[in-house]
Amino acid sequence: MKVLVVNAGSSSIKYHLYQMPQAEILANGLVERIGQENTSLSHIFHGKTHTLQVKVEDVEGGVELILNTLVSKDVGVMRDISEIGAVGHRVVHGGEEFTGSVVIDENVIVSIEKFADLAPLHNPPNLAGIRAVQHELPNIKQVACFDTAFHATIPKVAYMYALPYELYEKYGIRRYGFHGISHRYVARCAAAIMGRGKYNINAITCHLGNGCSVTAVRQGRSIDTSMGFTPLEGVPMGTRSGDMDPAILFYLADKGYDVTLLKSICNKKSGLLGISGISNDVRELVQLAKKGNGLAKLAIDIFCYRIRKYIGAYAAVLDPVDALVFTGGIGENAFFLRRQICMGMTQIGVQLNQAANLAAVAKEAEISTKDSKVKVFVVPTNEQAAIANDTYELTRQKQPIPL
Ligand code: ADP
């Protein structure tokens, strides 16, 4: 069966067409700058890349372009779009309702719409992608895979904020967590590498990309995660602040900063970029730090220190930790940051094999010493494969996928 995976954002759509169950990628690509004059499509098939500049107004137009490309004479990989057996969508927010991936029906659509209030930048384009497919392929089975769903097992003691309880009841203010598809995927890969079942591992998973989050996984299930009500909480990120004293915002509000400006500071001008004043890319910061740039070094030091603190906190709640897993653009590639994060963690049983760490760039690898109590792994994340798999399974089984 062919499964199309769609990740629709407000200005871009990523897609992967899989042959299942072997999870072979038949084609994949990206539509970028939707809504601008210079929308572009890059489409990869049989090892070749086809690029196209064409104006696309909205997500609906982007989905149409993708489907047309997949069946085009020159660069297509199918004769007819009816060859697609099911479509899986990445959906950011499933609120408290969705504890796993689900087959999409009108009720699911209403809920995704409702949770747009909690994820105003993400759920609306995700939903637009679902509707566009519905329009082009009215009878096809569609599946929603939520970034929040893996964290549905977090206990109340960890998901509640110490705010008046009525704010939870009235507005749903609680920790939801994000990056769940990735955390689940890499935790299961780590269990497989260790020769264990997926529910037989305690792990701390670090998804470090442009957005960063750390998750505590007990017996294969998320029990705490660093991102909270929104993806702003937790460790510092490329341009997001992560944890801070919320009174800083009240103080700045008193100084005349309005909500729009505060949002922009915390989400777009903080983190690695905010501290260094130069870049949110760790590769650039490391080069600058080597040349003596103090703020670039400070940005990296703060980033690593704060991740260490979360690892320490989750080691305390997991006890014991079987595995520490790094993933995401930084986690998979930046061996120098992995080294700095793991330095001096012998107390909690982490001992890095320096040579293995150095060699582990963009590939799955064990990077701890033979004696390390906690096994440390690099696992390239593969959210689209996880979505394809859930979609295939759900389409066949017609049952909710358990966590
Ligand atoms: P996103 O969260 O947008 O998917 P990624 O997971 O691709 O982002 O991570 C992007 C970040 O990963 C970049 O900003 C950069 O800091 C880091 N990164 C990517 N490639 C490398 C590399 N080869 N070496 C070091 N860092 C890298």
Side-chain angles (χ1 to χ4, degrees):
M1 182 206 277
K2 290 184 179 61
V3 169
L4 178 66
V5 174
V6 175
N7 182 353
S10 57
S11 64
S12 71
I13 308 174
K14 289 186 195 138
Y15 64 95
H16 290 78
L17 182 70
Y18 281 92
Q19 185 67 49
M20 298 301 287
Q22 57 270 47
E24 178 198 346
I25 297 180
L26 302 174
N28 64 292
L30 171 69
V31 183
E32 282 179 289
R33 293 185 294 277
I34 291 171
Q36 297 175 33
E37 281 306 319
N38 54 346
T39 313
S40 77
L41 164 83
S42 30
H43 172 71
I44 302 170
F45 67 109
H46 308 315
K48 288 176 268 185
T49 303
H50 163 74
T51 53
L52 179 73
Q53 305 283 334
V54 55
K55 176 125 179 52
V56 169
E57 294 288 350
D58 48 25
V59 173
E60 286 75 4
V63 167
E64 200 183 324
L65 174 65
I66 291 167
L67 292 173
N68 287 341
T69 306
L70 287 172
V71 295
S72 96
K73 267 219 177 77
D74 309 331
V75 298
V77 289
M78 294 182 290
R79 279 219 192 122
D80 195 276
I81 51 171
S82 62
E83 287 178 40
I84 301 173
V87 181
H89 293 265
R90 179 180 184 173
V91 180
V92 165
H93 219 303
E96 285 190 319
E97 194 170 319
F98 297 106
T99 58
S101 301
V102 289
V103 173
I104 297 171
D105 60 16
E106 271 313 308
N107 291 333
V108 173
I109 286 183
V110 167
S111 296
I112 296 172
E113 221 158 29
K114 183 171 76 190
F115 301 132
D117 182 41
L118 296 170
L121 299 180
H122 295 102
N123 273 29
N126 298 160
L127 192 55
I130 293 168
R131 290 220 191 272
V133 172
Q134 217 172 23
H135 184 254
E136 299 287 326
L137 292 158
N139 297 318
I140 202 152
K141 197 155 268 183
Q142 300 201 69
V143 167
C145 303
F146 299 93
D147 264 320
T148 49
F150 181 56
H151 301 301
T153 43
I154 294 179
K156 201 159 192 171
V157 69
Y159 75 64
M160 288 299 296
Y161 292 106
L163 287 166
Y165 196 80
E166 67 185 48
L167 295 180
Y168 166 63
E169 293 177 310
K170 226 173 167 173
Y171 302 113
I173 290 179
R174 53 159 285 179
R175 175 180 313 286
Y176 290 101
F178 299 89
H179 289 148
I181 301 166
S182 177
H183 286 293
R184 181 184 66 160
Y185 177 82
V186 300
R188 288 187 179 174
C189 287
I193 300 169
M194 294 177 82
R196 297 177 174 211
K198 61 185 177 189
Y199 300 124
N200 187 19
I201 188 168
N202 283 2
I204 299 171
T205 50
C206 304
H207 179 107
L208 310 177
N210 264 321
C212 301
S213 65
V214 183
T215 294
V217 176
R218 181 186 287 144
Q219 299 296 295
R221 294 177 174 90
S222 172
I223 58 150
D224 206 348
T225 192
S226 59
M227 283 180 168
F229 179 64
T230 73
L232 185 57
E233 194 182 347
V235 297
M237 312 177 205
T239 62
R240 285 176 238 162
S241 62
D243 298 336
M244 67 172 152
D245 181 347
I248 294 166
L249 302 178
F250 316 147
Y251 182 85
L252 291 175
D254 283 343
K255 297 275 177 212
Y257 287 64
D258 68 13
V259 175
T260 311
L261 183 56
L262 291 173
K263 266 190 197 167
S264 154
I265 290 174
C266 295
N267 282 299
K268 300 198 174 131
K269 298 190 172 137
S270 296
L272 294 169
L273 174 68
I275 300 160
S276 69
I278 301 164
S279 172
N280 59 345
D281 193 313
V282 296
R283 287 166 288 196
E284 202 179 336
L285 293 177
V286 167
Q287 290 313 318
L288 287 165
K290 275 189 190 154
K291 287 184 195 146
N293 185 309
L295 287 180
K297 179 175 182 308
L298 182 65
I300 291 169
D301 288 349
I302 292 173
F303 182 77
C304 294
Y305 175 72
R306 297 263 295 268
I307 293 166
R308 281 164 63 87
K309 284 216 298 190
Y310 263 98
I311 293 171
Y314 290 163
V317 298
L318 282 174
D319 193 30
V321 183
D322 303 314
L324 173 64
V325 188
F326 288 99
T327 194
I330 297 173
E332 291 164 28
N333 295 294
F335 56 86
F336 33 88
L337 293 204
R338 293 193 300 249
R339 183 174 57 204
Q340 190 168 339
I341 292 165
C342 294
M343 215 180 283
M345 275 196 188
T346 42
Q347 273 297 325
I348 60 164
V350 172
Q351 269 184 300
L352 223 52
N353 174 333
Q354 298 302 341
N357 180 46
L358 199 76
V361 175
K363 61 175 184 193
E364 188 175 291
E366 182 172 333
I367 57 169
S368 44
T369 63
K370 236 173 60 210
D371 302 332
S372 184
K373 212 166 85 214
V374 176
K375 294 288 161 210
V376 187
F377 299 110
V378 175
V379 178
T381 195
N382 197 342
E383 288 155 300
Q384 55 277 2
I387 295 171
N389 200 50
D390 279 10
T391 304
Y392 176 68
E393 290 298 330
L394 265 179
T395 312
R396 276 167 16 115
Q397 295 175 5
K398 302 185 176 71
Q399 278 164 10
I401 301 247
L403 285 170

